[in-house]
């Protein structure tokens, strides 16, 4: 009883939000959802000309996707939380502007099914791409969907949950760009490419506290998944509009702790509404060490690189940062020299980084580039919305 | 309407809390320690307590441990078979789930007042004054 009432208030909240935020005149027709009691009318009809922006985020598990999500939702304002009153093991995160869907929910085989067939979750045979395509398409057109839930604790597929179309939909998981139809629906796509050494170091950090795990078991787990990963997940990076590549540092010789990182932000040229970040002069090759007379850094310091490049036969621009930030003024100094950041005010990147200083990667390129990508996505969203608003006006005039 | 919504929000939240964090009910007969009941004092002998079921975090840790053992056994036979790979994938999935559970616990499990105030910032206990 309580659950059904909450659904209705939630639906009311979402439509109310839509009318207040959009400036154009839109008519909304909706009927109250009457579950169980009256089988004759059991659908909500919402007619909305809302445009949902769809972002895809691909990475292997344990690679910082959830940190990225939290930074991204924070750029738009508000904290993303699991849906209230629903399945506590839901993977979905909802905030005012964004909804994050975990693509693990589209597994066609649950854990026992995969074990029987001998396939990993990375294998496309374990995922239902048809359902993924239909539901993402529906959400993009403004239709709510009943999305299945994959419970990571039990390994089973739970009862579906209702997802309302948000302003920004983020699909994160292993295969957002694998299926061509889903790829065409994405307005922007990001791939987190973590090198093997760094992945090993991060997984050790994550799993050594777990009893039962040893160095050998962590290594065996990575090795076993590698063939499937290389075959199915890794090729997606050629389709991404932005790739965040994390490599071991070059500043410390023979470093294998993985604390200092070299992070490269590879941005595709020619993507609509997306203008790559650059350093000093767009299109030239720059190597920059900010530490010197104006800024003092502690060991191992910071090194920046910017250059145009070619990545899988595409023209790209690459901004690279090696080292870590120790102090606030280093961050501000670096931000003031980067161009095309799409910030709304001076120091916004620094402010966002400080807001989440406890997140992993807040003192190196991972946090910096994730924040920058978040601002780029906000810029892309605003441009898209502005474009969609002017387009109907033009057709009306014609 | 808003107040009704917020007050309704508490109910399912409580439901979630009880289902997740409350340990399983003891099925063995429980001996009550009521001093006014002379009969109970006479019959209160050593009771065999069944141990309380593990917390959700403990459940996941147990699963991780078990899955590692399973994977090692499966792969002892044939290291490149699909079953071996699937077993290690399961280990990876469960380790990720365990680490998320640990993060979530660290993030919000510590202070019940904080948890309550997250959902109800307008109540008297949760009001903050900026100036």
């Amino acid at each position: 009883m309580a659950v059904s009432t909450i659904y209705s208030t939630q639906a009311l909240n979402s439509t109310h939000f839509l009318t207040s935020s959009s400036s154009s005149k839109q008519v909304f027709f909706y009927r109250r959802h009457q579950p169980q009691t009256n089988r004759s009318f059991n659908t909500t009809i919402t007619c909305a000309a809302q445009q949902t922006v769809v972002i895809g985020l691909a990475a292997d598990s344990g690679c910082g996707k959830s940190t990225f999500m939290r930074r991204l939702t924070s750029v738009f304002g508000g904290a993303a939380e699991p849906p209230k009153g629903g399945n506590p093991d839901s993977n979905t995160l909802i905030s005012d502007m964004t909804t994050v869907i975990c693509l693990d929910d589209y597994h066609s085989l649950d854990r026992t099914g995969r074990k029987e067939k001998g396939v990993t979750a990375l294998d496309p045979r374990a995922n239902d791409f048809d359902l993924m395509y239909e539901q993402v398409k529906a959400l993009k057109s403004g239709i709510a969907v009943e999305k299945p839930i994959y419970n990571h604790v039990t390994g089973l597929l739970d009862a579906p949950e209702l997802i309302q179309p948000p302003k920004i939909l983020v699909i994160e998981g292993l295969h957002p760009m694998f299926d061509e139809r889903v790829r065409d629906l994405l307005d922007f796509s990001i791939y987190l490419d973590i090198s093997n050494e760094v992945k090993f170091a991060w997984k050790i950090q994550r799993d050594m506290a777990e009893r039962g795990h040893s160095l050998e078991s962590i290594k065996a787990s990575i090795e076993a998944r590698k063939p499937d990963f290389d075959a199915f997940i890794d090729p997606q990076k050629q389709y991404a509009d932005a790739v965040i590549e994390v490599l071991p540092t070059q500043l410390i010789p023979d470093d294998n702790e993985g604390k200092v990182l070299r992070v490269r932000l590879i941005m595709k040229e020619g993507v609509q509404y997306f203008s790559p970040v650059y350093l000093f002069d767009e299109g030239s090759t720059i190597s920059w060490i900010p530490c010197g007379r104006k800024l003092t850094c502690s060991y191992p310091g910071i090194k920046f690189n910017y250059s145009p490049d070619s990545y899988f036969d595409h023209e790209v621009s690459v901004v690279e940062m090696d080292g870590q930030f120790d102090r606030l003024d280093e961050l501000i100094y670096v931000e003031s020299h980067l161009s095309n950041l799409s910030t709304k005010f001076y120091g916004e990147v620094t402010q966002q980084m400080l807001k989440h200083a406890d997140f992993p990667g807040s003192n190196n390129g991972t946090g910096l580039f994730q924040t920058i990508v978040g601002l780029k996505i906000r810029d892309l969203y605003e441009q898209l919305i502005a474009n969609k608003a002017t387009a109907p006006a033009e057709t009306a005039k014609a | 309407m808003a107040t009704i919504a917020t007050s309704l929000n508490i109910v399912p939240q409580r439901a979630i809390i009880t289902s997740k964090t409350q340990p399983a009910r003891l099925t063995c007969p429980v001996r009550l320690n009521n001093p006014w009941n002379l009969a109970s004092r006479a019959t209160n002998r050593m009771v065999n307590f069944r141990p309380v079921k593990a917390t959700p975090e403990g459940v996941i840790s147990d699963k991780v441990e078990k899955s590692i053992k399973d994977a090692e056994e499966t792969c002892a036979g044939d290291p490149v078979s699909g079953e071996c790979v699937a077993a290690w994938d399961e280990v990876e999935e469960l380790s990720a789930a365990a680490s998320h559970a640990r993060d979530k616990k660290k993030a919000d499990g510590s202070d019940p007042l904080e948890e309550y105030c997250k959902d109800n910032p307008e109540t008297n206990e949760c009001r903050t004054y900026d100036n």
Side-chain angles (χ1 to χ4, degrees):
Chain A
M1 220 12 211
V3 175
S4 59
T5 352
I6 283 177
Y7 274 163
S8 67
T9 52
Q10 246 190 4
L12 270 174
N13 275 341
S14 62
T15 48
H16 179 257
F17 194 62
L18 284 168
T19 46
S20 62
S21 56
S22 59
S23 51
S24 55
K25 306 268 185 292
Q26 285 157 356
V27 186
F28 294 97
F29 300 99
Y30 58 89
R31 255 192 234 149
R32 273 178 65 98
H33 187 51
Q34 307 275 355
Q36 285 119 26
T37 48
N38 205 332
R39 291 271 169 197
S40 56
F41 26 85
N42 56 1
T43 48
T44 42
I45 303 166
T46 49
C47 170
Q50 178 196 265
Q51 292 300 333
T52 303
V53 173
V54 185
I55 314 280
L57 175 60
D60 195 8
S61 73
C63 291
K65 277 194 305 261
S66 32
T67 316
F68 195 164
M69 284 340 308
R70 287 188 284 171
R71 283 194 206 273
L72 182 59
T73 43
S74 154
V75 161
F76 287 103
E81 276 161 10
K84 290 207 197 319
N87 188 334
D89 288 321
S90 161
N91 304 309
T92 313
L93 294 174
I94 299 183
S95 76
D96 293 335
M97 300 261 294
T98 60
T99 292
V100 182
I101 287 183
C102 176
L103 291 179
D104 285 348
D105 290 334
Y106 293 109
H107 279 328
S108 51
L109 300 169
D110 63 7
R111 208 176 283 158
T112 35
R114 274 179 273 144
K115 228 180 184 167
E116 280 165 25
K117 290 223 165 125
V119 297
T120 60
L122 306 161
D123 199 311
R125 285 175 287 168
N127 296 288
D128 189 352
F129 289 107
D130 295 325
L131 183 64
M132 192 194 292
Y133 168 63
E134 276 165 29
Q135 294 207 334
V136 174
K137 190 160 127 198
L139 284 169
K140 190 164 180 167
S141 330
I143 305 167
V145 298
E146 290 272 351
K147 179 191 65 73
I149 299 178
Y150 177 77
N151 191 320
H152 281 103
V153 177
T154 59
L156 303 167
L157 286 160
D158 289 344
E161 59 182 347
L162 184 69
I163 303 289
Q164 297 290 346
K167 291 187 167 168
I168 298 168
L169 176 69
V170 183
I171 52 173
E172 56 114 347
L174 297 161
H175 306 96
M177 295 170 266
F178 186 84
D179 189 83
E180 199 175 339
R181 303 164 294 177
V182 180
R183 218 186 299 150
D184 291 335
L185 291 172
L186 298 176
D187 293 302
F188 194 73
S189 48
I190 307 148
Y191 184 89
L192 288 179
D193 183 10
I194 319 289
S195 76
N196 295 320
E197 300 91 344
V198 177
K199 196 184 280 194
F200 188 36
W202 282 3
K203 295 223 164 146
I204 291 175
Q205 269 174 34
R206 186 191 74 180
D207 291 337
M208 278 313 256
E210 245 355 278
R211 64 186 146 89
H213 256 304
S214 61
L215 213 61
E216 292 81 27
S217 66
I218 298 174
K219 205 166 180 186
S221 169
I222 297 180
E223 300 280 319
R225 293 171 87 244
K226 207 161 177 321
D228 272 356
F229 180 77
D230 288 337
F232 305 120
I233 314 297
D234 213 42
Q236 289 179 90
K237 58 187 185 193
Q238 61 185 301
Y239 303 116
D241 297 318
V243 177
I244 299 182
E245 202 179 335
V246 184
L247 305 153
T249 182
Q250 287 176 331
L251 298 174
I252 306 175
D254 301 323
D255 171 63
N256 56 0
E257 266 183 48
K259 291 255 164 67
V260 184
L261 298 168
R262 177 173 158 230
V263 189
R264 305 175 80 223
L265 175 60
I266 301 167
M267 298 163 282
K268 211 186 251 183
E269 290 284 348
V271 177
Q272 207 186 16
Y273 307 125
F274 173 59
S275 46
V277 179
Y278 66 88
L279 191 57
F280 175 57
D281 181 21
E282 203 169 2
S284 50
T285 303
I286 313 274
S287 178
W288 179 47
I289 297 176
C291 315
R293 284 199 204 118
K294 275 199 262 180
L295 186 71
T296 37
C297 319
S298 46
Y299 183 78
I302 306 173
K303 184 160 185 276
F304 271 87
N305 255 309
Y306 165 71
S307 62
D309 204 349
S310 175
Y311 187 75
F312 287 104
D313 301 327
H314 294 294
E315 290 287 317
V316 295
S317 300
V318 184
V319 178
E320 181 183 314
M321 173 181 160
D322 198 351
Q324 51 189 32
F325 298 114
D326 282 317
R327 295 188 325 273
L328 166 65
D329 48 343
E330 289 172 12
L331 193 43
I332 269 273
Y333 190 80
V334 162
E335 184 183 345
S336 59
H337 287 81
L338 286 169
S339 313
N340 236 346
L341 284 172
S342 305
T343 49
K344 295 220 163 124
F345 53 85
Y346 173 71
E348 192 174 9
V349 174
T350 307
Q351 191 197 63
Q352 282 292 328
M353 297 269 287
L354 287 177
K355 211 163 51 151
H356 305 293
D358 54 330
F359 284 3
S362 293
N363 65 343
N364 60 37
T366 48
L368 176 66
F369 291 141
Q370 286 176 2
T371 309
I372 292 175
V373 169
L375 294 170
K376 286 280 163 208
I377 291 176
R378 183 182 66 185
D379 184 40
L380 182 142
Y381 170 73
E382 284 166 0
Q383 285 184 58
L384 252 170
I385 296 301
N387 234 36
K388 297 266 160 68
T390 52
E394 281 165 13
T395 51
K397 270 190 225 163
Chain B
M1 202 50 180
T3 47
I4 297 171
T6 48
S7 63
L8 277 172
N9 270 337
I10 301 172
V11 175
Q13 196 71 4
R14 206 174 281 155
I16 292 166
I17 289 172
T18 49
S19 67
K20 264 204 107 103
T21 57
Q22 202 181 54
R25 294 221 182 81
L26 301 164
T27 52
C28 57
V30 179
R31 303 291 180 145
L32 297 169
N33 192 10
N34 294 330
W36 59 86
N37 190 349
L38 296 173
S40 76
R41 266 199 290 163
T43 55
N44 256 349
R45 297 229 205 103
M46 279 274 286
V47 179
N48 279 344
F49 260 104
R50 197 168 297 168
V52 169
K53 216 181 235 166
T55 61
E57 196 200 283
V59 163
I60 302 179
S61 285
D62 288 336
K63 283 195 168 155
V64 171
E65 212 177 343
K66 188 168 159 293
S67 67
I68 296 174
K69 286 206 193 85
D70 280 341
E72 282 167 355
E73 277 168 26
T74 323
C75 293
D78 182 8
V80 284
S81 70
E83 284 86 29
C84 171
V85 174
W88 281 119
D89 186 45
E90 193 185 323
V91 168
E92 167 61 39
E93 195 191 329
L94 283 165
S95 309
S99 123
H100 284 152
R102 255 180 286 138
D103 288 341
K104 220 162 59 151
K105 186 162 177 260
K106 228 193 300 176
D108 59 27
S110 38
D111 191 358
L113 180 65
E114 286 291 334
E115 250 186 87
Y116 175 69
C117 288
K118 242 198 307 183
D119 295 322
N120 310 283
E122 74 288 343
T123 50
N124 281 331
E125 295 87 348
C126 303
R127 289 175 73 154
T128 50
Y129 299 91
D130 278 321
N131 53 2

